[in-house]
């Protein structure tokens, strides 16, 4: 069985700039009743685990609920509900992420989707002051061989691909049959993490 708790990870964002979000200024469609239920005017007063973590003044994590709360075996399901308060539209492709932090420092990203991560309620569409409920269900990896892990949450972008100049791209274009050149992957920058200004991560 694996004991765990919830922490927020503060990662330096550096100087990399996230890509612009497309569709700016587009008219919003009416939300379905299911999606409306995930957007609140005020945080619930009965949050299982209230927090206050300020992500660079652009988003706040107000609390969470977790099932199960203490132990989870490899291959079992975790249900996590996060309550985010928006500081306004979070442009630049930022979305919430969830990772397992192992005792040796290794991080394992949990695959999970929700309307707040990949949908109409993603941070690019957030309204200032609104509370967005991010509900996910994820599976603890079956090959996890540790006695304890922490759950790390935050906001980050996808890896940002480098955009080579047209001249450089033409020069580096591999010839047919040059397998070594064809196998070279395009350069990418890492994800840009939204840093923590205050909260438990300090």
């Amino acid at each position: 069985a694996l004991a765990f708790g919830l922490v927020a990870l503060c990662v330096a964002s550096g100087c990399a700039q996230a890509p612009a979000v497309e569709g700016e200024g587009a008219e919003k469609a009416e939300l379905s009743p299911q999606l409306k239920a995930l957007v609140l005017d005020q945080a619930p007063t009965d949050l299982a685990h209230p927090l206050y973590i300020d992500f660079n003044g652009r988003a706040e994590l107000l609390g969470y609920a977790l099932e199960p709360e203490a132990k989870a075996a490899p291959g079992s399901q975790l249900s996590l509900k996060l309550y985010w308060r928006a500081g306004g539209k979070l442009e630049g492709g930022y979305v919430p992420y969830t990772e397992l932090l192992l005792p040796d420092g290794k991080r394992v990203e949990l695959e999970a989707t929700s309307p707040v991560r990949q949908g109409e309620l993603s941070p690019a569409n957030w309204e200032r002051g609104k509370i967005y409920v991010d509900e996910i269900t994820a599976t603890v990896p079956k090959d996890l061989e540790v006695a304890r892990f922490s759950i790390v949450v935050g906001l980050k972008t996808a890896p940002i691909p480098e955009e080579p100049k047209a001249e450089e791209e033409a020069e580096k274009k591999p010839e047919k049959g040059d397998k070594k050149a064809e196998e070279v992957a395009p350069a990418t920058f890492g994800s840009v993490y939204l840093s923590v200004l205050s909260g438990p991560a300090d």
Side-chain angles (χ1 to χ4, degrees):
L2 306 173
F4 54 87
L6 183 76
V7 296
L9 183 66
C10 177
V11 182
S13 57
C15 299
Q17 185 173 355
V21 176
E22 297 180 359
E24 297 278 342
E27 189 174 334
K28 288 184 180 179
E30 181 71 17
L31 295 178
S32 67
Q34 292 81 3
L35 292 181
K36 283 183 178 180
L38 301 177
V39 184
L40 312 175
D41 291 324
Q42 295 182 339
T45 57
D46 59 348
L47 287 177
H49 299 279
L51 293 170
Y52 179 78
I53 303 177
D54 183 350
F55 285 86
N56 207 25
R58 300 170 72 185
E60 300 162 358
L61 182 59
L62 302 181
Y64 70 95
L66 181 65
E67 287 291 337
E69 288 227 344
K71 295 181 180 180
S76 65
Q77 296 283 303
L78 289 176
S79 295
L80 178 64
K81 187 183 293 187
L82 303 168
Y83 294 84
W84 298 98
R85 180 159 59 199
K89 281 189 177 182
L90 193 55
E91 299 173 351
Y94 287 98
V95 291
Y97 70 88
T98 308
E99 297 173 339
L100 302 185
L101 178 61
L102 309 185
D104 62 1
K106 181 181 177 182
R107 293 190 292 166
V108 179
E109 185 151 11
L110 292 179
E111 294 184 8
T113 59
S114 74
V116 175
R117 299 183 182 220
Q118 295 177 336
E120 297 176 72
L121 302 182
S122 60
N125 297 318
W126 284 2
E127 295 181 33
R128 182 183 299 275
K130 294 287 187 180
I131 312 297
Y132 293 86
V133 185
D134 183 19
E135 297 182 315
I136 66 167
T137 299
T139 302
V140 179
K142 293 182 179 180
D143 58 352
L144 205 60
E145 297 181 353
V146 295
R148 183 179 181 85
F149 61 79
S150 296
I151 298 178
V152 176
V153 303
L155 294 148
K156 70 176 182 178
T157 69
I160 303 170
E162 183 180 14
E163 296 181 3
K165 294 179 181 179
E167 300 83 15
E168 294 177 355
E169 193 171 307
E171 289 176 6
K172 294 179 181 179
K173 189 174 181 181
E175 296 180 5
K176 283 187 177 181
D178 188 350
K179 292 184 179 180
K180 187 176 181 181
E182 290 174 355
E183 289 172 0
V184 176
T188 59
F189 297 104
S191 299
V192 179
Y193 290 77
L194 198 58
S195 58
V196 175
L197 291 182
S198 65
D202 291 343

